[in-house]
Amino acid sequence: MLHLRLEATAEVGNHTAKLLELRAVPPAAANDAAHIAIAAVNQVDYLVTWNFRHIANATMRARIEDACRRAGHRPPVICSPNQLMEP
């Protein structure tokens, strides 16, 4: 398994703030916004998570994708580990 360490740069901080400003993620979930921002800024293809409350949430996913695009980033595909596994 390949493990990468991604940087939390100033651009990540700006994108985190944009996700919160656009209410793609609630203010109380700033850490979740940062996870999304790190993935988007670093052009990660998939963000795999068990966090159904603020990240892998069908209602929020559209807002997250829109906020990423508005900030000039391609949003990662957000899914649970089960969704990523082959049948």
Side-chain angles (χ1 to χ4, degrees):
M1 180 178 280
L2 177 66
H3 294 277
L4 300 174
R5 177 171 254 158
L6 304 175
E7 299 291 324
T9 62
E11 185 178 5
V12 168
N14 292 336
H15 190 45
T16 299
K18 194 68 165 173
L19 288 164
L20 296 170
E21 174 189 324
L22 294 173
R23 301 187 98 29
V25 179
N31 286 341
D32 296 337
H35 287 146
I36 297 163
I38 288 168
V41 169
N42 287 284
Q43 302 177 12
V44 172
D45 293 325
Y46 294 90
L47 176 55
V48 182
T49 181
W50 287 115
N51 183 333
F52 296 107
R53 188 168 202 177
H54 299 127
I55 300 177
N57 176 308
T59 303
M60 299 184 79
R61 188 173 300 146
R63 287 187 273 175
I64 291 167
E65 291 173 357
D66 179 60
C68 287
R69 288 186 185 100
R70 289 173 69 177
H73 298 289
R74 179 182 52 83
V77 173
I78 298 172
C79 59
S80 72
N82 289 344
Q83 292 171 316
L84 190 63
M85 293 173 54
E86 293 181 345

